[in-house]
Amino acid sequence: MDTELKVQFMSRVWRNLSRTSSQHHNFVSRLMEEKMELRNTLGHLEEEIWRYRQRGAEQQIQRLYGKYLWADSYRKALVYQKKYMLLLLGGFQDCEQTTLALNTRMGVDPFPEDLQRRARLRQPVTTFRSAVRWWWP
């Protein structure tokens, strides 16, 4: 009888172990499936992060390019304004010299201080700087 009890006990233990083993096996297989799902999700998220970073870099490049275009446009406008101012100042200088020559022909003598001041001709750049200092605070 003793051996029969041992056999029954062993068979119950074996059934419990096999049931537990199958439960563990099912649990392990579910964990493996979940692990694979998480790996796939992680891969998709990493791809999405990479796309966001690329999009962010593109936006930053576009923003910098916009700033470059604005600065280039501003620079071109300043060059145009400078050329226009030099043209205007050159025209005033020519007009002033013509007026002085006409006054001299008519016999009108300008003041000696004006003659000394007019004796040295200014360069257009100096005239432009003076005009800008006067116009721009």
Side-chain angles (χ1 to χ4, degrees):
M1 207 157 112
D2 207 19
T3 57
E4 200 175 300
L5 283 174
K6 285 182 181 179
V7 169
Q8 286 177 356
F9 176 75
M10 288 301 280
S11 89
R12 268 190 271 152
V13 168
W14 183 253
R15 275 183 285 188
N16 285 340
L17 282 176
S18 66
R19 193 176 339 124
T20 307
S21 175
S22 68
Q23 288 174 351
H24 285 294
H25 179 42
N26 290 337
F27 183 69
V28 167
S29 65
R30 279 186 291 171
L31 287 177
M32 291 296 283
E33 288 174 8
E34 188 176 345
K35 178 181 173 184
M36 292 304 291
E37 287 177 17
L38 289 174
R39 277 189 180 169
N40 290 337
T41 305
L42 179 64
H44 292 301
L45 289 175
E46 285 176 347
E47 288 176 15
E48 197 171 330
I49 288 172
W50 182 79
R51 275 188 253 128
Y52 279 131
R53 284 184 180 163
Q54 289 298 105
R55 192 177 309 143
E58 287 175 10
Q59 288 175 349
Q60 188 176 10
I61 288 170
Q62 287 176 348
R63 188 172 50 249
L64 288 174
Y65 185 67
K67 286 182 179 182
Y68 163 75
L69 287 178
W70 178 84
D72 190 47
S73 173
Y74 189 73
R75 182 189 61 82
K76 287 178 182 178
L78 287 176
V79 167
Y80 174 77
Q81 290 172 4
K82 180 181 176 183
K83 287 180 180 179
Y84 180 72
M85 290 294 292
L86 287 173
L87 180 70
L88 282 179
L89 291 174
F92 286 134
Q93 186 178 7
D94 293 341
C95 182
E96 187 177 353
Q97 288 174 353
T98 306
T99 304
L100 283 175
L102 193 67
N103 285 344
T104 305
R105 268 194 247 148
M106 290 174 29
V108 177
D109 291 329
F111 296 109
E113 303 90 37
D114 288 341
L115 285 176
Q116 289 174 358
R117 196 170 4 139
R118 306 262 189 259
R120 59 183 178 107
L121 292 176
R122 287 193 196 174
Q123 295 294 324
V125 173
T126 308
T127 308
F128 174 74
R129 285 184 191 147
S130 300
V132 169
R133 285 186 189 134
W134 173 78
W135 184 69
W136 196 270

